Amino acid sequence: MNSVVTPGSGLQTGASPHAIVIGSGFGGLAAAIRLSVRGYRVTVLEKLDAPGGRAYVFRQDGFTFDAGPTIITAPFLLDELWTLCGRKFSDDVDLRAMKPFFRLRFDDGDTFDYTGDPEQMRAEIRRIAPDDLNGYEQFLEASATAYRLGYEQMGDMPFTKITDMLKVIPEMLKMQGLRSLHSLVRAHVKSPKLQTVLSFHPLLIGGNPYSVTAVYALISHLEQKHGVHSAMGGTGALVDAMVSLMQSQGAVLRCNSEVDEILVERGEAQGVRLASGEVLHADVVVSNADAAWTYRHLIKPEHRKHWTDRKIERSSFSSGLFVWYFGTDKRYEDVPQHSVLLGPRYKGLLDDIFKKHHLADDFSLYLHRPTELDPSLAPEGCDTFYVLAPVPHLESGTDWEAHAEPFRLAIQKRLEETVLPGFSEHVKTSLVMTPLDFQSRLLAFRGCAFSFEPKLTQSAWFRPHNVSEDVKGLYLVGAGTHPGAGIPGVITSAKVLDQVIPHAHSYA
């Protein structure tokens, strides 16, 4: 079903087939752009009062907080969307390269600046693990192989048939995809610190380095090849630009429009019913809502033979997140834009989060300070921050209404002990999100931040398909479908639609 699309050729008329996109996260917005260019009339339905989904923007007391994603690692995917519409991405969004990408701080106070400069990376490795330099070079080769085979060849493959999976098994074996990422890293480097440096990335997309497939080694090569970037104005500026791009093709965004049910007749999606009772008919329905929530709560059980309630509830899900957004009345110039503050445990903490579903007393943190590069995100002389901690999803039984403040205070204490001494006296605004908020605000199943856990048995063909296995005319994009979470993953999931959704003229 591949079609050649002329840039800027979106032809939306009253006679064009109608596509409804549920949710305006990056996957939904990218899907809306692609469908609009291909001639569909597109309506995007968003539950919240503004677009973005997990990339929603909070504004409070003069501070601007990106609720979720903070980095861009595959700008070429955005260039492609703009090119489809006959426009240039750099005309609408100002991306700035990060240096360093991340600063990792170990529990003993040692730091590692993870950067895109090959010589600086080697210098850092010589400093903390000189005996691992050759092993690091070997890991880079494995990462490049994973990128070439796992992303370039398999990233936008639909995986709608089991034969699709069988075809890629030789490639999976070449990139050692049947072992875990941490196992792959450990085979090349011996220093526990360097093992952490090279394996922590999946935590940023809800995966456990000890259980995600080694294919995720591709992230290291992706970053080295294309860099790590931040959007001026925050990630929300990118959301706004994508909404504007989609609207330039005739697509419509409706906020405060929660979908209550995907309507199915004779096994085929017919449209949606909103929580308000309004019914909207469609030729195609694309869900950018959480994949598990889509099947469990938006489609009646009688229409689901594959994604039954039992199958969903027996699946493994990603971590939850505790996120504290705060603004200070002073600037902290020695704190980089992206910091990873590691706790005293690595594997033990991950076991608590992913396997035992137990909220531990210790934690590792990701600290985001966007005002390093973009002071406009805070009042003059101030800093905007958010700090997040991976935590178990709601199956842990944690009473977050009671535990949120004690947990925030524990994080505050840890920050004061490490990189922000005395900062609590300068906090001028504060906001917290727990897994309960992910469930109620974002309709995330079990309050997970990244949907299905991205382990081998829940990847590619084993993940919810981009083409629904249960309902004809229903398609999925976003973190819970192939290829997975993260901005590159969800934008690529929309690219898959070009191969599986008929061109609009097919309905004529």
Side-chain angles (χ1 to χ4, degrees), residues 438-460:
F438 278 84
Q439 179 178 259
S440 61
R441 278 182 55 83
L442 300 172
L443 304 184
F445 189 74
R446 290 184 181 162
C448 298
F450 308 94
S451 196
F452 290 89
E453 184 183 353
K455 58 184 184 179
L456 180 61
T457 54
Q458 294 187 162
S459 297

Side-chain angles (χ1 to χ4, degrees), residues 7-282:
S9 62
L11 300 172
Q12 298 195 34
T13 68
S16 299
H18 185 210
I20 286 177
V21 178
I22 304 170
S24 65
F26 281 117
L29 295 176
I33 292 165
R34 288 184 173 275
L35 290 171
S36 298
V37 167
R38 296 175 64 199
Y40 282 86
R41 288 183 296 120
V42 179
T43 303
V44 179
L45 302 172
E46 171 55 52
K47 171 184 180 288
L48 302 177
D49 61 351
R54 283 164 172 75
Y56 185 90
V57 176
F58 295 112
R59 293 180 175 86
Q60 186 169 289
D61 300 326
F63 294 84
T64 299
F65 301 101
D66 285 327
T70 60
I71 59 174
I72 311 298
T73 54
F76 60 90
L77 292 172
L78 297 162
D79 289 335
E80 186 176 86
L81 290 175
W82 261 254
T83 299
L84 285 173
C85 299
R87 291 169 56 177
K88 192 174 180 181
F89 172 66
S90 59
D91 289 341
D92 294 335
V93 179
D94 181 6
L95 285 188
R96 303 285 179 91
M98 299 288 94
K99 188 176 180 181
F101 295 166
F102 304 93
R103 176 170 294 159
L104 288 89
R105 184 192 185 280
F106 298 95
D107 191 53
D108 64 5
D110 199 3
T111 61
F112 186 103
D113 277 4
Y114 188 101
T115 176
D117 183 329
E119 287 309 312
Q120 187 174 343
M121 283 291 287
R122 293 184 181 99
E124 288 286 83
I125 291 167
R126 288 189 193 99
R127 183 176 59 80
I128 72 163
D131 293 340
D132 278 330
L133 191 57
N134 288 337
Y136 170 69
E137 301 289 355
Q138 294 167 6
F139 170 77
L140 288 182
E141 293 177 8
S143 175
T145 299
Y147 179 83
R148 186 177 72 255
L149 299 176
Y151 185 77
E152 292 185 337
Q153 293 188 22
M154 296 163 53
D156 60 358
M157 183 181 292
F159 286 103
T160 55
K161 305 181 294 293
I162 185 61
T163 51
D164 294 335
M165 192 69 192
L166 296 176
K167 288 176 185 175
V168 303
I169 287 179
E171 282 76 13
M172 291 285 289
L173 294 174
K174 286 179 188 176
M175 56 186 154
Q176 303 181 65
L178 301 185
R179 70 193 308 179
S180 74
L181 174 62
H182 195 274
S183 172
L184 175 70
V185 170
R186 191 174 64 243
H188 292 294
V189 300
K190 305 308 176 189
S191 162
K193 287 182 177 178
L194 191 54
Q195 289 174 5
T196 300
V197 167
L198 299 178
S199 70
F200 82 93
H201 289 87
L203 288 167
L204 302 178
I205 53 174
N208 181 351
Y210 287 88
S211 58
V212 300
T213 167
V215 175
Y216 280 88
L218 68 84
I219 298 175
S220 293
H221 185 75
L222 175 70
E223 291 179 340
Q224 297 298 319
K225 182 180 177 69
H226 298 287
V228 172
H229 303 82
S230 178
M232 297 300 286
T235 311
L238 177 54
V239 171
D240 291 343
M242 292 181 73
V243 169
S244 177
L245 185 67
M246 145 190 126
Q247 290 173 335
S248 75
Q249 297 299 303
V252 174
L253 170 66
R254 289 181 54 177
C255 293
N256 298 305
S257 298
E258 180 179 347
V259 172
D260 192 54
E261 182 184 351
I262 296 172
L263 302 174
V264 181
E265 291 182 14
R266 296 180 296 279
E268 187 168 353
Q270 300 294 310
V272 300
R273 176 181 292 108
L274 303 185
S276 65
E278 181 183 0
V279 171
L280 298 175
H281 296 284

